[in-house]
Amino acid sequence: LDLTEDNVERVLDQMRPYLISDGGNVKLVEIDGGVVRLKLEGACGTCPSSTMTMKMGLERGLREKIPEIIDVVQDMGEGGPELSPEAVETVLETVRPFLKVAGGAIELFDLRGIGGMQPVIVLKMTGTSAALRSVKNEIMQRIQRNFMLPGLRIEWEGE
């Protein structure tokens, strides 16, 4: 196929069912020369495997069908959503089902410094999963990826 927006969309349409089944999607942002810029949306935008999805799934699928493509890059947008208690809760909702299964819970304990150089999110985790560093690291990564604020600090109540 030739490198056109229609053809890129046609190939993406073949891969979208897999993304949608995981709660995400993909949007064609632009084609610049042989570089295709895509934006992962929904759960795919904050998923730890998004780089793999982009490179091994979408890029491979597109380049197989449209050999003119030189590279496929992920559009990170203009940063994440505004930092607010509601936006933090939205991210926490993505991990609560897993924590509940593991016998734990998480809540936003404090949020300060919004709009400043170093905003701070203080989280409180309870239950058996609270002691697991790997769980805390995953939650911190999800928050960092979601808001994309350079000075954002995440702290744990009681630590």
Side-chain angles (χ1 to χ4, degrees):
L1 296 173
D2 291 330
L3 179 54
T4 65
E5 285 191 18
D6 285 344
N7 285 339
V8 170
E9 287 290 355
R10 190 172 299 134
V11 176
L12 290 175
D13 283 344
Q14 295 169 3
M15 296 184 270
R16 279 193 173 99
Y18 303 105
L19 299 173
I20 291 168
S21 71
D22 284 335
N25 206 340
V26 64
K27 176 180 161 193
L28 172 60
V29 176
E30 70 175 347
I31 299 172
D32 184 9
V35 178
V36 176
R37 182 175 303 275
L38 302 175
K39 181 166 182 63
L40 291 173
E41 299 178 323
C44 292
T46 57
C47 174
S49 302
S50 64
T51 304
M52 278 304 247
T53 299
M54 183 65 70
K55 288 290 169 194
M56 301 305 293
L58 299 173
E59 180 176 341
R60 198 182 81 218
L62 284 165
R63 290 176 84 171
E64 275 177 14
K65 301 273 196 303
I66 307 171
E68 286 178 67
I69 294 175
I70 296 165
D71 199 10
V72 176
V73 295
Q74 186 170 353
D75 183 84
M76 299 309 278
E78 298 297 318
E82 285 295 314
L83 183 61
S84 69
E86 297 78 20
V88 173
E89 285 294 336
T90 300
V91 178
L92 295 179
E93 281 302 317
T94 68
V95 296
R96 283 193 173 114
F98 306 106
L99 287 176
K100 189 174 183 182
V101 167
I106 190 165
E107 64 180 273
L108 174 60
F109 187 80
D110 191 17
L111 176 58
R112 55 186 183 269
I114 295 176
M117 293 297 286
Q118 196 168 40
V120 179
I121 297 172
V122 182
L123 301 173
K124 183 175 183 178
M125 193 158 31
T126 55
T128 52
S129 54
L132 298 176
R133 192 88 226 136
S134 59
V135 172
K136 289 181 176 178
N137 286 341
E138 173 62 25
I139 292 166
M140 290 165 63
Q141 287 175 0
R142 284 185 187 209
I143 290 171
Q144 293 285 5
R145 275 195 310 268
N146 188 67
F147 294 107
M148 294 188 244
L149 294 171
L152 180 61
R153 278 198 357 243
I154 300 159
E155 299 176 357
W156 299 94
E157 173 60 19
E159 281 189 12

